[in-house]
Amino acid sequence: MERLPLSTNKSNLLRLKEELVFARDGLELMDEKKEALMPHITSLAGKAERVRAQMNAVLKEAYGHLRDAVKAQGRLACERAALAPRLDAVLDIREKSFMGVALPVVRLTLPDFLPPYGFHGTAVAMDDLAKTIWQSLEVITELAEIEVSLFRLEMEIKKTIKRINALENIYIPEYEATIKHIEESLEEKEREFLFQLKRQKRRREEAEYEHI
């Protein structure tokens, strides 16, 4: 087992023991964070799948209306209608914190739908297309919020697992091995010191005996 390159003295021993306690506390916190992140990620992943299916259905409907509009009015008329001024929409983006991760909170406010083009040269299919796309904006906004949150949480749990592995497999074992080595070295030095004291005492006693 690898050890830290430290000299064997009591000050280093005390410091390492304190840091080991701190590392173990950190490992426990990382485990708790991982356990909190996992169900949240699972829940968001399920929600993302449902909203993505909803968005695909809405866009599929919009493409159907687009085909009908092109057939009824021609491609050029559809392109002119697409260039019409957009209706006002208010997009509010904020953030909330979950386990130290900044997650977006997106709110889209849409006014009542009115076609942004004139009635001349357009047909019902064009109105259906514009209305479907307008309604899809809320679904797209919701999915964007979920996807960004999911991405950030997945990145965070990857970092958390990486830190857990580093603490479990590298740092804590190194600290434990170093502490054990220092303790054994200090014990050996203490035994040697006591042995020297006993030998000196025995020599003094022998010298005193010879002078009697």
Side-chain angles (χ1 to χ4, degrees):
M1 177 59 65
E2 294 290 331
R3 299 195 305 266
L4 299 173
L6 296 173
S7 57
T8 56
N9 56 60
K10 288 186 177 181
S11 62
N12 280 338
L13 179 61
L14 293 174
R15 180 172 60 83
L16 286 175
K17 285 184 175 182
E18 291 176 356
E19 292 178 359
L20 179 59
V21 171
F22 182 76
R24 285 172 174 164
D25 290 342
L27 176 60
E28 185 177 350
L29 289 174
M30 289 294 104
D31 277 327
E32 290 175 359
K33 184 174 184 178
K34 183 187 74 172
E35 293 303 317
L37 288 172
M38 285 301 296
H40 200 61
I41 290 174
T42 303
S43 175
L44 272 181
K47 187 176 180 181
E49 186 175 351
R50 292 191 298 272
V51 176
R52 195 179 299 114
Q54 184 181 355
M55 183 194 71
N56 290 336
V58 172
L59 293 180
K60 183 178 180 180
E61 180 184 354
Y63 279 120
H65 293 316
L66 176 60
R67 285 193 297 269
D68 294 340
V70 170
K71 290 178 182 178
Q73 301 170 215
R75 181 173 179 176
L76 184 60
C78 292
E79 290 178 350
R80 283 199 301 266
L83 294 174
R86 299 294 186 269
L87 298 179
D88 292 332
V90 178
L91 185 65
D92 180 44
I93 303 177
R94 302 183 183 183
E95 287 187 341
K96 64 179 180 180
S97 178
F98 179 78
M99 300 299 293
V101 184
L103 303 181
V105 179
V106 184
R107 294 292 177 266
L108 178 66
T109 304
L110 296 174
D112 294 335
F113 173 75
L114 288 174
Y117 45 79
F119 292 103
H120 178 70
T122 59
V124 175
M126 179 62 69
D127 294 342
D128 292 338
L129 171 61
K131 187 172 183 179
T132 302
I133 292 177
W134 186 249
Q135 293 172 341
S136 72
L137 294 177
E138 292 182 344
V139 181
I140 293 172
T141 300
E142 182 182 6
L143 182 61
E145 175 187 311
I146 296 170
E147 293 282 11
V148 172
S149 297
L150 196 55
F151 173 78
R152 292 181 180 178
L153 289 171
E154 287 174 345
M155 292 299 293
E156 186 65 23
I157 199 166
K158 286 180 182 178
K159 290 192 296 183
T160 301
I161 292 174
K162 186 176 180 180
R163 290 168 182 165
I164 289 172
N165 290 335
L167 285 170
E168 283 185 334
N169 302 319
I170 300 175
Y171 293 107
I172 290 179
E174 279 185 350
Y175 273 78
E176 291 174 340
T178 306
I179 288 172
K180 182 180 179 181
H181 172 70
I182 293 177
E183 286 178 337
E184 290 175 349
S185 298
L186 291 176
E187 288 174 0
E188 180 64 28
K189 288 180 180 179
E190 186 175 357
R191 284 194 297 268
E192 179 66 22
F193 178 72
L194 291 175
F195 174 76
Q196 293 295 337
L197 284 180
K198 290 179 179 179
R199 187 167 64 176
Q200 290 176 6
K201 181 180 179 182
R202 186 171 63 252
R203 286 177 178 176
R204 285 196 303 268
E205 290 175 348
E206 290 174 353
E208 290 174 358
Y209 180 77
E210 289 177 355
H211 285 98
I212 296 176

